[in-house]
Amino acid sequence: MTQYEKILYALDGDVAVITTHDPATLNACGPDMAEELSHAFACAATQARAIVLTGSGRGFCSGANLDTTASHLDLKPELGAQDVGAALEKVYNPLVSAMRDLPVPFVTAVNGAAAGIGCSFALLGDIILASQNAYFLQAFRRIGLVPDGGSTYMLTRAIGRARAMEMMLLGEKIYAPQALEWGLINRVTSAEDVLPHAMDMARELARGPTKTLALIRRAAWAGLDNDWATQLDLERTSQTLAGRSKDFQIGVKAFLAKKIAHFIGK
């Protein structure tokens, strides 16, 4: 097993648990943590049938680690000399794209702060659980930057342009109950229950026809952009692939026999 410095990685049966682990910074994510997350998600994609992402201590991820990020930049006083977006292209965009395109279901268990890029990580979950004290924050405007990590894409589609603008332009904390009311997340639990609840949900997903669940999550992401005809065509091709899976055979046989299906993810 790879030894990580900024995250934790564990397998619990068929569920991979990835934990941001830099409590001194409320799990702020610099290029070092991002690279470890990329590696861990790649491992989980082949080792598990579902994934949970959470944070250690009091935070999920408090945003970019400005100390480590600055050490990777060639900061210059000349106006316009610095390309801060280069880190997105090299590190963060490949990471969030890999999280979106995972071949297994993905649950986020948000404990405490989910700010900046941490907010993006949280919103990438197929199912998003948050503790009562969790909050979602588009902190970029506080340091004169633009929301990234896919936030401008996900927020406008999840909660509409007006509320997305509010989050991004004002930079106010949106606590879990309000996020639930807005439709930004799925469920709110107590602080002590958020990870156990996420694990229960991930285990349920892992017991499902995970090859088909991967097709479902791909179709759901595509549905954010496709027109009607294109989406119907995607449903048709996805159904063809699902119908050729062993889990389809298992599911039909179990249904006809009035038994519970025991899927194998193939």
Side-chain angles (χ1 to χ4, degrees), residues 80-252:
Q82 179 59 52
D83 181 8
V84 180
L88 299 180
E89 182 179 0
K90 294 178 182 178
V91 180
Y92 295 102
N93 287 352
L95 170 57
V96 295
S97 294
M99 293 165 71
R100 183 199 63 178
D101 296 335
L102 285 167
V104 295
F106 172 37
V107 179
T108 49
V110 185
N111 53 308
I117 191 68
C119 184
S120 298
F121 293 162
L123 299 181
L124 279 160
D126 301 326
I127 298 176
I128 307 162
L129 308 180
S131 62
Q132 283 279 356
N133 64 333
Y135 64 84
F136 302 82
L137 172 63
Q138 289 293 300
F140 300 91
R141 54 102 63 206
R142 299 185 178 188
I143 57 172
L145 288 179
V146 175
D148 58 32
S151 285
T152 58
Y153 180 95
M154 292 185 288
L155 285 172
T156 52
R157 287 158 174 78
I159 58 177
R161 183 191 60 82
R163 285 173 170 167
M165 285 288 197
E166 181 178 339
M167 283 189 71
M168 294 186 288
L169 293 178
L170 296 179
E172 297 174 340
K173 296 178 181 178
I174 305 298
Y175 281 91
Q178 184 177 358
L180 181 66
E181 180 184 347
W182 281 8
L184 188 62
I185 63 176
N186 296 94
R187 301 183 189 181
V188 178
T189 74
S190 64
E192 60 269 20
D193 287 339
V194 64
L195 182 56
H197 192 23
M199 290 299 298
D200 288 343
M201 192 164 289
R203 292 187 187 102
E204 174 62 25
L205 291 168
R207 287 192 290 268
T210 46
K211 184 174 182 178
T212 298
L213 298 185
L215 294 171
I216 292 172
R217 70 188 307 276
R218 186 183 69 173
W221 277 105
L224 297 174
D225 301 302
N226 284 344
D227 59 31
W228 174 255
T230 303
Q231 193 67 8
L232 287 182
D233 185 61
L234 176 59
E235 289 178 358
R236 188 259 185 274
T237 56
S238 298
Q239 201 70 295
T240 297
L241 294 172
R244 292 172 178 167
S245 68
K246 291 183 179 179
D247 278 338
F248 173 64
Q249 298 177 19
I250 291 170
V252 170

